[in-house]
Amino acid sequence: MSPFDPLREQLASAAEAFGGELIDDVEQALRTDVEIFPVCHHSPASGLAMVRRLREKQPKVIYLELCEDLRPVLDELHNCRLPVALQAFATDIDGFPKEWAPLSVIAPITESSAEYQAIAYAMETPGVEIVLVDRSVDHVFQWEPRAEPADVGIEIGDLRPGFAALEEHLLHHGKVRHWSEWWDQYVEQPLSGADYETYRQVMVLIGSLFRRLKPGGNEVDEDRERYMWTRMREHLAATGADPADCLYVCGAFHAASPVMDEHLDISPRTRTSWLYGLIPSSHSAIEKQFGLAPGSVSIAAATWDKSLKRHGLVSYQLGSKRKGKAPAPVESQGLHAFLTQPPTLDGFDEAELLEWCVEIVRLARRNGYLSSTADAIAVFETSILLAGMRNRKRPTPYDFQDAAVTCIEKDVVPGRRDVRRLVEIMLGGDKVGQVGYDSLPPLARDVLDRLKPLGLDLEKRTIQRALIDLDAQPELEPCSHLLWILRRLLPDDAVRPIMGSRRLGERSHQESWDLAIGRNQRSIIELGYEGVTIEQVLEQRLRQAVWDPKATASVALDAVEDSILYLGSRRFTDELGGRAIQLLSGERTVDDAPDVLRRIRRLLAHYRATEPELPEWAKTFVTTGYAHYCTLLPTAFVEEETGVRQVGAMLGFLFTMESLALSLGCDRAQLELAVQQSHPEAPAKVALLWTARYQLGLLTMAELRGLVGELLSSPLVVPSVPRYVSGFVQALESAPALAPFVVEVLSRAFGELPDDVLLPWLPKLITTLREQAPELVPVLVREAERTFPARLPDVDSFTPPWLAKPSTRRPVVSSGPVSELLAAYPGTGLAVGELLGCEPVTDTNTEVGALLTAYPETGAAVAAILT
């Protein structure tokens, strides 16, 4: 006796018991009063079996594994082009963590889905009722773990092993790359022609196997099953329907449930307000949602069409007038025969493969590949060879795809698409669904109605060009306004302006747009879940943005600008402006100071140009900002975390808004004290402090030039001169008049520093200016253009203004047009004198005229002032 005999017997008995349990599950599923129809989502085999069973059984009630509160949405499917998805959406949540918002549940539907066939049958056949029995959308999130969830895709009939080792084993021994290929090879193709009883037994067996091998237990799945059986028993009791006339469509995973007879006490829903609708879906979106291989749903759709033709079946479609008949009976195999006999083949596949080979060569040539008839023959033979190497009786679409890549693909893809993508296009491509106009939410219909004057069919998926001449066609102004709002809310490729702009103080005379609204129908539909009109959605989003816990004053000012541009509501704009004041006064950092300065300048310029006076919130924002930045200025100068750009923006706010702030009651002494208390050490901030002291009158220009001279003459400080220059450049935010001085500093550095110091210094200067002051460099370039000579011969005789000695000799002008004009019109001299602070002169004809005649150089000075 071998020492391993007891272990061998134990393993054999375990395998026997495990196999017996699987068969018990199959028998249990087949004995229920309500007939269970097990499915796999987006499976052509399930769809074919559903078509056969519906025509044969003609059930009166269909129970469907789908969120029960999605039932009203099914009535809108007849207006859609599949694939589409049922969606439940909630932004205003109550009973769930706030960070979960928005909540969304998506359940895609394709024509080959068994669920769609059941829905179409129930809605097109009089006297048939369809009942959704799965958890409500609210309960889906009630049962979610309290971690932040992503969008939930209801996997109707999803069938995939949760045991990773089993899936790896199946893929390895099946000689396939991914689960979709294994399922197509070993389940889809054999079951497409099987009889109904064999189909049910095989699907329940697979579901039971995956269920028992799932790690972590099935507690949540069993609760779902209790929920569904509880709802079915409630419906049967309420309507008195005969269970024999009912059909229960569920995933094969749930068909072999041990809790069919158990009751569940269903908890009430939360107070969350749910919105329901339809959104376009696509094959690629379904593949991504369910973790399928790329192209698998397109291959499934091609298999569905081929199988319908092969077996002479007519599928159920909403709105279709085609009538089918009961299919010819298929000889019953039974589970044992099905699992032990190879699938039967026919000659249709060879003809199909030939057609595929010719078509892929044609597509390849159209996309730049140098393919020929020889390549078609090579693809055909290689497909058969690969199928044989993988122990397959016939090539599958996956074998064909690999063969096409092997025979046609080259090192470089000549066009936008490679051969693998061309095969997917040939087999059906990434089919995208569309929701019909009548099934759109009110907002989406309103958008399409308001854009009708453009004369475009915006439901098409192609990109369309809209040309708007606002001067010749002023009636298109509302369309332009709506397009700019859509540009603000939709993805970038949905509404793209080619010509025209929308900014404060600007008006476009002509606009050109590229519109892809049909491609982005889902985005517009989801906007409809947030409001009735596009303006209401924008207002809600702006309000959410400024009341977000992470909102800043810069965000609020941006919202104010959007409110002015798109909404035109003074009340709402004032509300956002008040929120900006609250956010500014509560900030403890100045990270957003550059954005705040830029936006408040733009807003003030807009109000000054369009309104008689500034609104109250703008006045309060200026006074609050003046006091706020004065308070933070000493700290910002010394903190390493605060950059020179932020400090420059603070000084720009304080000095450029100073006159307005002082007129509104602020005290200039607060700014003087803040500057006196600032003691920076970083070179750039030191330069900023010097310019601030100069603007306050605490430094003269001669003293400022002396400080720069000390920098250039000190060998220890020369390497840091680029950072000082960066500070001087940032000072242009607060003092644009210092541009000549900054040009002078750079010119003195280039002229006085030796080459061994200057050449290593230049790259650092360029990178510093590029990183910290890119928008201010053009100011320096324009100033340098005014300062230096424009022609090369004038360079040798050029004397820089800062080196030129001031003339002590007064200009003498004996006569000329200026003197004659001022003598003829002495009131001009009187006005200039009053501007300069002179006492008013009453007798202008005698005294002023005599003075201007005696001192004609005054006329030249007045002319210089006026020009």
Side-chain angles (χ1 to χ4, degrees):
M1 180 178 178
S2 171
F4 294 102
D5 286 345
L7 178 60
R8 185 178 292 109
E9 293 178 2
Q10 184 178 3
L11 292 176
S13 61
E16 182 180 358
F18 185 74
E21 291 175 354
L22 295 180
I23 300 303
D24 292 341
D25 289 342
V26 175
E27 290 181 341
Q28 178 190 8
L30 300 182
R31 286 197 308 263
T32 57
D33 294 337
V34 177
E35 181 180 330
I36 299 177
F37 191 101
V39 302
C40 175
H41 200 28
H42 309 300
S43 165
S46 295
L48 292 170
M50 177 63 74
V51 173
R52 293 191 182 101
R53 188 56 180 165
L54 291 174
R55 297 202 184 278
E56 178 184 352
K57 181 180 177 67
Q58 298 289 315
K60 301 300 182 182
V61 178
I62 295 180
Y63 298 114
L64 185 60
E65 178 198 336
L66 190 62
C67 293
E68 57 186 1
D69 49 342
L70 289 175
R71 175 61 185 89
V73 185
L74 299 181
D75 298 329
E76 303 295 335
L77 283 174
H78 66 279
N79 291 320
C80 303
R81 184 175 69 239
L82 299 182
V84 296
L86 315 178
Q87 184 180 34
F89 193 86
T91 54
D92 184 14
I93 62 176
D94 187 355
F96 304 108
K98 294 297 183 183
E99 58 271 14
W100 285 17
L103 301 179
S104 177
V105 169
I106 299 171
I109 298 289
T110 61
E111 185 179 348
S112 60
S113 301
E115 298 81 14
Y116 176 73
Q117 294 301 312
I119 293 170
Y121 164 79
M123 299 183 68
E124 293 291 313
T125 306
V128 177
E129 182 181 6
I130 185 167
V131 182
L132 308 187
V133 294
D134 201 358
R135 300 167 297 170
S136 70
V137 175
D138 199 272
H139 285 95
V140 169
F141 287 98
Q142 286 186 33
W143 294 9
E144 280 290 311
R146 290 295 163 172
E148 184 174 356
D151 288 354
V152 176
I154 299 300
E155 302 184 3
I156 306 176
D158 180 59
L159 200 55
R160 187 167 186 166
F163 188 39
L166 172 62
E167 182 173 345
E168 182 180 355
H169 176 84
L170 294 174
L171 297 182
H172 174 72
H173 289 277
K175 297 183 179 180
V176 295
R177 294 165 296 174
H178 43 71
W179 174 251
S180 300
E181 186 175 359
W182 185 93
W183 183 265
D184 179 78
Q185 173 66 23
Y186 294 100
V187 180
E188 284 295 329
Q189 301 299 336
L191 279 180
S192 62
D195 63 282
Y196 175 62
E197 288 302 322
T198 302
Y199 166 83
R200 287 182 70 196
Q201 295 169 15
V202 171
M203 293 297 287
V204 175
L205 180 68
I206 296 175
S208 176
L209 174 64
F210 292 167
R211 183 188 188 96
R212 293 184 178 278
L213 293 177
K214 181 179 179 180
N218 298 308
E219 291 82 4
V220 175
D221 296 301
E222 290 178 356
D223 283 341
R224 285 185 63 189
E225 292 153 6
R226 292 186 184 95
Y227 192 107
M228 290 188 284
W229 281 101
T230 300
R231 289 304 194 201
M232 283 189 284
R233 283 191 291 268
E234 291 175 352
H235 180 268
L236 289 172
T239 60
D242 186 357
D245 293 332
C246 301
L247 188 67
Y248 171 36
V249 182
C250 67
F253 188 90
H254 303 292
S257 173
V259 297
M260 297 180 184
D261 298 328
E262 298 181 12
H263 179 81
L264 178 67
D265 293 328
I266 300 174
S267 61
R269 301 180 187 179
T270 66
R271 292 186 295 274
T272 298
S273 177
W274 290 96
L275 300 169
Y276 304 92
L278 293 166
I279 59 174
S281 187
S282 64
H283 290 172
S284 60
I286 296 172
E287 291 160 359
K288 182 178 179 181
Q289 178 175 338
F290 290 91
L292 303 177
S296 58
V297 178
S298 297
I299 292 176
T303 303
W304 165 257
D305 294 333
K306 179 181 69 174
S307 300
L308 288 176
K309 294 177 182 178
R310 175 184 298 178
H311 299 289
L313 296 175
V314 178
S315 63
Y316 291 97
Q317 294 182 5
L318 291 172
S320 175
K321 297 182 179 180
R322 296 184 302 170
K323 300 296 182 181
K325 59 181 180 179
V330 181
E331 183 180 356
S332 178
Q333 286 181 287
L335 181 59
H336 180 267
F338 179 84
L339 296 177
T340 56
Q341 295 177 3
T344 58
L345 301 179
D346 53 31
F348 186 84
D349 292 323
E350 181 178 352
E352 180 187 55
L353 181 59
L354 287 172
E355 182 181 351
W356 285 356
C357 294
V358 174
E359 182 65 16
I360 191 59
V361 169
R362 185 184 68 83
L363 281 177
R365 290 180 63 85
R366 289 182 58 186
N367 284 269
Y369 288 93
L370 300 177
S371 55
S372 63
T373 305
D375 292 313
I377 299 172
V379 172
F380 181 86
E381 297 296 338
T382 306
S383 300
I384 298 175
L385 176 63
L386 289 175
M389 294 174 61
R390 295 166 178 172
N391 295 329
R392 299 173 182 170
K393 299 297 182 180
R394 58 184 177 185
T396 67
Y398 298 96
D399 297 324
F400 170 75
Q401 187 178 58
D402 292 341
V405 171
T406 302
C407 299
I408 300 176
E409 189 70 88
K410 303 300 186 292
D411 294 337
V412 178
V413 178
R416 294 182 300 170
R417 303 181 179 97
D418 58 8
V419 174
R420 188 173 300 278
R421 178 59 183 150
L422 293 178
V423 172
E424 294 177 7
I425 293 174
M426 187 195 72
L427 294 176
D430 186 17
K431 186 176 181 181
V432 181
Q434 186 177 27
V435 179
Y437 176 86
D438 294 331
S439 297
L440 292 173
L443 180 143
R445 293 200 299 268
D446 179 64
V447 168
L448 295 178
D449 292 342
R450 291 165 63 180
L451 293 179
K452 275 186 179 179
L454 295 178
L456 303 175
D457 186 0
L458 298 178
E459 296 187 33
K460 291 184 178 179
R461 290 186 50 80
T462 57
I463 299 178
Q464 301 182 70
R465 176 65 59 86
L467 303 176
I468 303 177
D469 189 342
L470 296 176
D471 291 336
Q473 297 175 294
E475 67 275 6
L476 296 182
E477 178 70 32
C479 295
S480 169
H481 183 71
L482 178 59
L483 289 176
W484 285 112
I485 299 179
L486 293 174
R487 171 68 176 172
R488 171 68 171 73
L489 296 175
L490 294 179
D492 292 339
D493 61 332
V495 178
R496 187 164 60 94
I498 305 302
M499 182 176 67
S501 62
R502 173 63 67 94
R503 288 190 288 266
L504 291 177
E506 295 185 3
R507 178 187 177 274
S508 298
H509 297 276
Q510 292 181 332
E511 293 178 353
S512 175
W513 296 84
D514 275 352
L515 305 180
I517 293 178
R519 290 186 181 182
N520 294 270
Q521 191 183 50
R522 172 174 177 171
S523 300
I524 297 180
I525 291 174
E526 291 183 342
L527 289 179
Y529 297 153
E530 301 180 45
V532 179
T533 64
I534 202 76
E535 289 80 7
Q536 181 185 2
V537 173
L538 179 58
E539 180 175 339
Q540 290 178 356
R541 290 198 177 182
L542 293 178
R543 186 174 280 111
Q544 291 171 1
V546 300
W547 287 99
D548 187 89
K550 297 181 180 179
T552 62
S554 174
V555 172
L557 291 178
D558 185 47
V560 169
E561 187 171 342
D562 286 343
S563 174
I564 296 173
L565 288 174
Y566 304 124
L567 299 178
S569 171
R570 181 60 179 269
R571 174 198 56 78
F572 183 59
T573 302
D574 291 344
E575 177 187 337
L576 298 177
R579 178 59 178 167
I581 297 170
Q582 296 177 8
L583 292 171
L584 180 64
S585 59
E587 290 181 357
R588 293 297 174 262
T589 64
V590 292
D591 296 338
D592 292 332
D595 292 334
V596 171
L597 175 61
R598 183 177 66 255
R599 287 171 176 153
I600 192 61
R601 278 178 173 172
R602 193 159 55 231
L603 289 168
L604 291 177
H606 166 74
Y607 282 124
R608 284 168 174 154
T610 58
E611 298 190 9
E613 62 176 356
L614 297 177
E616 290 300 322
W617 78 263
K619 297 177 182 179
T620 307
F621 188 91
V622 171
T623 56
T624 303
Y626 189 86
H628 180 68
Y629 285 140
C630 283
T631 303
L632 297 180
L633 188 61
T635 305
F637 263 118
V638 298
E639 281 185 342
E640 294 182 0
E641 295 81 6
T642 305
V644 61
R645 188 177 182 85
Q646 282 70 31
V647 178
M650 292 174 66
L651 292 174
F653 187 98
L654 293 172
F655 283 108
T656 58
M657 305 286 173
E658 184 180 21
S659 59
L660 177 59
L662 296 181
S663 67
L664 296 174
C666 293
D667 190 357
R668 195 170 195 259
Q670 190 175 4
L671 175 58
E672 295 177 352
L673 289 174
V675 172
Q676 292 286 9
Q677 293 172 356
S678 302
H679 305 286
E681 296 181 358
K685 293 182 180 180
V686 171
L688 274 176
L689 180 62
W690 289 348
T691 58
R693 293 172 61 84
Y694 167 74
Q695 290 176 266
L696 290 174
L698 303 177
L699 278 179
T700 63
M701 180 56 70
E703 293 173 336
L704 195 56
R705 286 196 174 101
L707 292 172
V708 173
E710 293 177 4
L711 293 178
L712 297 175
S713 61
S714 174
L716 297 177
V717 183
V718 164
S720 300
V721 169
R723 285 181 282 174
Y724 282 96
V725 171
S726 175
F728 285 128
V729 173
Q730 291 292 341
L732 297 179
E733 282 279 13
S734 58
L738 283 176
F741 172 72
V742 179
V743 172
E744 174 188 342
V745 172
L746 289 172
S747 301
R748 290 180 60 183
F750 293 157
E752 298 177 15
L753 294 178
D755 290 345
D756 57 344
V757 175
L758 183 62
L759 293 180
W761 177 72
L762 283 177
K764 189 175 183 181
L765 172 66
I766 295 173
T767 56
T768 302
L769 293 178
R770 177 181 296 175
E771 292 174 359
Q772 299 185 5
E775 74 281 359
L776 298 175
V777 171
V779 179
L780 296 179
V781 174
R782 289 193 295 269
E783 183 60 34
E785 182 182 6
R786 288 193 293 266
T787 301
F788 298 105
R791 296 185 303 172
L792 185 61
D794 298 336
V795 174
D796 295 335
S797 59
F798 173 70
T799 301
W802 54 87
L803 296 179
K805 296 180 180 180
S807 177
T808 57
R809 182 168 171 264
R810 292 188 303 174
V812 177
V813 181
S814 58
S815 62
V818 174
S819 300
E820 295 174 359
L821 284 172
L822 290 174
Y825 301 97
T828 303
L830 174 62
V832 173
E834 292 181 358
L835 288 175
L836 298 177
C838 300
E839 294 293 332
V841 180
T842 55
D843 190 359
T844 57
N845 293 328
T846 57
E847 297 181 7
V848 175
L851 286 172
L852 291 175
T853 303
Y855 300 97
E857 61 271 18
T858 304
V862 171
I865 293 174
L866 297 177
T867 56

Coordinates of all heavy atoms in Angstrom, one line a residue, residues 40-68:
C40 N -25.5 35.4 -20.2 CA -24.2 36.1 -20.1 C -24.4 37.4 -20.9 O -24.9 37.4 -22.0 CB -23.1 35.3 -20.6 SG -21.5 36.1 -20.6
H41 N -24.0 38.5 -20.3 CA -24.2 39.8 -20.9 C -23.5 39.9 -22.3 O -22.3 39.5 -22.4 CB -23.8 40.9 -20.0 CG -24.4 42.2 -20.3 ND1 -25.6 42.3 -20.9 CD2 -24.0 43.5 -20.1 CE1 -25.9 43.6 -21.0 NE2 -24.9 44.3 -20.6
H42 N -24.2 40.5 -23.3 CA -23.6 40.8 -24.6 C -23.2 39.5 -25.2 O -22.2 39.5 -26.0 CB -22.5 41.8 -24.6 CG -22.8 43.0 -23.8 ND1 -23.9 43.8 -24.2 CD2 -22.3 43.6 -22.7 CE1 -24.0 44.8 -23.3 NE2 -23.1 44.7 -22.4
S43 N -23.9 38.4 -24.9 CA -23.5 37.1 -25.5 C -24.5 36.7 -26.6 O -25.7 36.6 -26.4 CB -23.6 36.0 -24.4 OG -23.6 34.7 -25.0
P44 N -24.0 36.6 -27.9 CA -24.9 36.2 -29.0 C -25.5 34.8 -28.7 O -26.7 34.7 -29.1 CB -23.9 36.1 -30.2 CG -22.8 37.0 -29.8 CD -22.6 36.8 -28.3
A45 N -24.9 33.9 -28.1 CA -25.5 32.6 -27.8 C -26.7 32.8 -26.9 O -27.7 32.2 -27.1 CB -24.5 31.7 -27.2
S46 N -26.6 33.7 -25.9 CA -27.7 33.9 -25.0 C -28.8 34.6 -25.8 O -30.0 34.3 -25.6 CB -27.3 34.8 -23.8 OG -26.3 34.1 -23.0
G47 N -28.5 35.5 -26.7 CA -29.5 36.2 -27.5 C -30.3 35.3 -28.4 O -31.5 35.3 -28.5
L48 N -29.5 34.3 -29.0 CA -30.2 33.4 -29.9 C -31.1 32.4 -29.1 O -32.2 32.1 -29.5 CB -29.1 32.5 -30.6 CG -28.3 33.3 -31.6 CD1 -27.1 32.4 -32.1 CD2 -29.1 33.7 -32.8
A49 N -30.6 32.0 -28.0 CA -31.5 31.1 -27.1 C -32.7 31.8 -26.7 O -33.8 31.3 -26.6 CB -30.6 30.6 -26.0
M50 N -32.6 33.1 -26.4 CA -33.7 33.9 -25.9 C -34.7 34.1 -27.0 O -36.0 33.9 -26.8 CB -33.2 35.3 -25.4 CG -34.4 36.2 -25.0 SD -35.3 35.6 -23.6 CE -34.1 35.9 -22.3
V51 N -34.3 34.3 -28.3 CA -35.2 34.5 -29.4 C -36.0 33.2 -29.6 O -37.2 33.1 -29.8 CB -34.4 34.8 -30.7 CG1 -35.4 34.8 -31.9 CG2 -33.8 36.2 -30.5
R52 N -35.3 32.0 -29.5 CA -35.9 30.7 -29.7 C -37.0 30.5 -28.6 O -38.1 30.1 -28.9 CB -34.9 29.6 -29.7 CG -33.9 29.6 -30.9 CD -33.1 28.3 -30.9 NE -32.2 28.3 -32.0 CZ -30.9 28.5 -31.9 NH1 -30.4 28.8 -30.7 NH2 -30.1 28.5 -32.9
R53 N -36.6 30.8 -27.3 CA -37.4 30.5 -26.2 C -38.7 31.4 -26.2 O -39.8 30.9 -25.9 CB -36.7 30.6 -24.9 CG -37.4 30.1 -23.7 CD -37.9 28.7 -23.9 NE -38.6 28.2 -22.7 CZ -39.4 27.1 -22.8 NH1 -39.5 26.4 -23.9 NH2 -40.0 26.7 -21.7
L54 N -38.5 32.6 -26.5 CA -39.6 33.6 -26.5 C -40.7 33.2 -27.6 O -41.9 33.2 -27.3 CB -39.2 35.0 -26.8 CG -38.3 35.6 -25.6 CD1 -37.8 37.0 -26.1 CD2 -39.2 35.8 -24.4
R55 N -40.2 32.8 -28.8 CA -41.2 32.4 -29.8 C -41.8 31.1 -29.5 O -43.0 30.8 -29.9 CB -40.4 32.3 -31.1 CG -39.9 33.6 -31.6 CD -39.6 33.6 -33.1 NE -39.0 34.9 -33.5 CZ -39.6 36.0 -33.7 NH1 -41.0 36.1 -33.5 NH2 -39.0 37.1 -34.1
E56 N -41.2 30.2 -28.7 CA -41.8 28.9 -28.4 C -42.7 29.0 -27.1 O -43.8 28.5 -27.1 CB -40.6 27.9 -28.1 CG -41.1 26.6 -27.7 CD -40.0 25.6 -27.3 OE1 -38.8 26.0 -27.6 OE2 -40.3 24.5 -26.8
K57 N -42.2 29.7 -26.1 CA -43.0 29.7 -24.8 C -44.1 30.8 -24.8 O -45.1 30.6 -24.2 CB -42.0 29.9 -23.7 CG -42.7 30.0 -22.3 CD -41.6 30.2 -21.2 CE -42.2 30.3 -19.8 NZ -42.8 29.0 -19.4
Q58 N -43.8 32.0 -25.4 CA -44.7 33.1 -25.4 C -45.1 33.5 -23.9 O -46.3 33.4 -23.6 CB -46.0 32.8 -26.2 CG -45.7 32.6 -27.7 CD -45.3 33.8 -28.4 OE1 -45.9 34.9 -28.3 NE2 -44.3 33.7 -29.2
P59 N -44.1 33.8 -23.1 CA -44.4 34.1 -21.7 C -45.3 35.4 -21.5 O -45.2 36.3 -22.4 CB -43.0 34.3 -21.0 CG -42.2 34.7 -22.2 CD -42.7 34.0 -23.4
K60 N -46.0 35.4 -20.4 CA -46.9 36.6 -20.2 C -46.2 37.6 -19.2 O -46.6 38.8 -19.2 CB -48.2 36.1 -19.5 CG -49.0 35.2 -20.4 CD -49.4 35.8 -21.7 CE -50.2 34.9 -22.6 NZ -50.5 35.5 -23.9
V61 N -45.3 37.1 -18.4 CA -44.5 38.0 -17.5 C -43.0 37.7 -17.6 O -42.7 36.5 -17.6 CB -45.0 37.8 -16.0 CG1 -44.2 38.7 -15.1 CG2 -46.5 38.1 -15.9
I62 N -42.2 38.7 -17.7 CA -40.8 38.5 -17.8 C -40.2 39.3 -16.6 O -40.4 40.5 -16.5 CB -40.2 39.1 -19.1 CG1 -40.7 38.2 -20.3 CG2 -38.7 39.0 -19.1 CD1 -40.2 38.6 -21.6
Y63 N -39.5 38.6 -15.7 CA -38.7 39.2 -14.6 C -37.3 39.4 -15.1 O -36.7 38.4 -15.6 CB -38.8 38.3 -13.4 CG -40.2 38.1 -12.9 CD1 -40.8 36.8 -12.9 CD2 -40.9 39.2 -12.3 CE1 -42.0 36.6 -12.4 CE2 -42.2 39.0 -11.8 CZ -42.8 37.7 -11.9 OH -44.0 37.5 -11.4
L64 N -36.8 40.6 -15.0 CA -35.5 40.9 -15.5 C -34.5 41.4 -14.4 O -34.9 42.3 -13.6 CB -35.6 42.0 -16.6 CG -34.3 42.3 -17.4 CD1 -33.7 41.1 -18.1 CD2 -34.6 43.4 -18.4
E65 N -33.3 40.9 -14.4 CA -32.3 41.3 -13.4 C -31.8 42.7 -13.8 O -30.8 42.8 -14.5 CB -31.2 40.3 -13.4 CG -30.0 40.7 -12.4 CD -28.8 40.0 -12.7 OE1 -28.8 38.9 -13.3 OE2 -27.7 40.5 -12.4
L66 N -32.5 43.7 -13.4 CA -32.1 45.1 -13.6 C -32.7 46.0 -12.6 O -33.8 45.6 -12.0 CB -32.6 45.5 -15.0 CG -32.1 46.9 -15.6 CD1 -30.6 46.9 -15.8 CD2 -32.8 47.2 -16.9
C67 N -32.1 47.1 -12.2 CA -32.6 48.0 -11.1 C -34.0 48.3 -11.4 O -34.4 48.8 -12.4 CB -31.7 49.2 -11.1 SG -30.0 49.0 -10.6
E68 N -34.9 48.0 -10.4 CA -36.3 48.1 -10.5 C -36.8 49.5 -10.8 O -37.8 49.7 -11.5 CB -37.0 47.6 -9.2 CG -36.6 48.3 -8.0 CD -37.2 47.7 -6.7 OE1 -37.9 46.7 -6.9 OE2 -36.9 48.2 -5.6

